[in-house]
Amino acid sequence: LATIKELEERLETEQARVESLVDDASAAEIREAIKDLKKLWQDTRKAQKKVVALLMRNKASDLVGKYDSMQENMQKRIERLSLTDTSELEALAEKYDAQLVIVKEAEQAVKDAHDTFDDDTEAFKQAQQTLRQEAAALKEILREFTSKFNELK
């Protein structure tokens, strides 16, 4: 974040310098200054996107950690219903486990895509979209499990 702040400050300084050149510089000097300003602006945007991507990557890791703990909670809930037929809950738990593996693979793809973010931002976006879709499927299984659990308790 400090890097972004520094780049933004440099950008503002460069912009002020370009604006001051307008009155007393030649057209070639102004073009060169504008070109430098544009390059600095592009570098700033690139750095911002990279930081946002890192935040998204970390959020994905946190979510997968929560999904892992939900898996443990599902097993505990099944165990609490010892006198009831829990075959449907166990089937949903197995389905959850299988989907969790897919979500973890999607999370790893996001991490891998982040490592090559400078070269291919589109791959990161695609990996992130896949993770969202797989996580949504996982949440749906969890909703089904919770609904069935509430029926049985």
Side-chain angles (χ1 to χ4, degrees):
L1 292 176
T3 303
I4 290 175
K5 187 70 175 163
E6 179 184 314
L7 285 171
E8 286 175 350
E9 289 171 359
R10 284 181 45 207
L11 187 61
E12 289 172 6
T13 303
E14 185 68 18
Q15 184 177 5
R17 188 179 76 79
V18 169
E19 288 172 357
S20 70
L21 283 178
V22 172
D23 295 332
D24 57 345
S26 70
E29 290 173 330
I30 293 173
R31 273 195 301 276
E32 188 62 32
I34 290 172
K35 183 178 174 184
D36 292 344
L37 179 63
K38 182 179 178 182
K39 172 77 170 107
L40 184 57
W41 179 79
Q42 289 170 340
D43 292 346
T44 302
R45 291 289 299 147
K46 191 174 185 180
Q48 287 173 334
K49 287 181 180 182
K50 190 161 186 161
V51 168
V52 168
L54 179 62
L55 293 172
M56 291 175 165
R57 174 187 165 180
N58 290 340
K59 182 178 179 181
S61 292
D62 292 345
L63 284 175
V64 170
K66 288 179 182 179
Y67 295 147
D68 268 338
S69 68
M70 292 305 297
Q71 182 183 32
E72 295 167 15
N73 290 341
M74 291 170 82
Q75 291 303 322
K76 289 177 184 175
R77 286 182 174 192
I78 291 171
E79 290 169 7
R80 282 195 303 191
L81 297 174
S82 59
L83 301 176
T84 310
D85 178 23
T86 59
S87 59
E88 289 181 59
L89 287 178
E90 290 170 0
L92 286 170
E94 288 177 21
K95 188 176 175 183
Y96 185 91
D97 293 347
Q99 185 64 27
L100 183 59
V101 169
I102 294 169
V103 167
K104 286 181 178 182
E105 290 171 356
E107 181 214 5
Q108 186 59 48
V110 167
K111 286 180 179 179
D112 294 343
H114 181 264
D115 293 341
T116 62
F117 185 80
D118 288 334
D119 302 326
D120 189 4
T121 59
E122 203 55 44
F124 180 78
K125 289 177 185 176
Q126 183 60 42
Q128 188 180 27
Q129 181 63 29
T130 301
L131 178 60
R132 280 190 196 117
Q133 291 169 347
E134 299 301 342
L138 191 68
K139 287 178 191 177
E140 185 56 37
I141 296 168
L142 184 58
R143 283 186 195 103
E144 289 177 40
F145 180 90
T146 303
S147 175
K148 190 63 182 172
F149 175 79
N150 288 333
E151 286 177 24
L152 294 175
K153 72 175 183 176

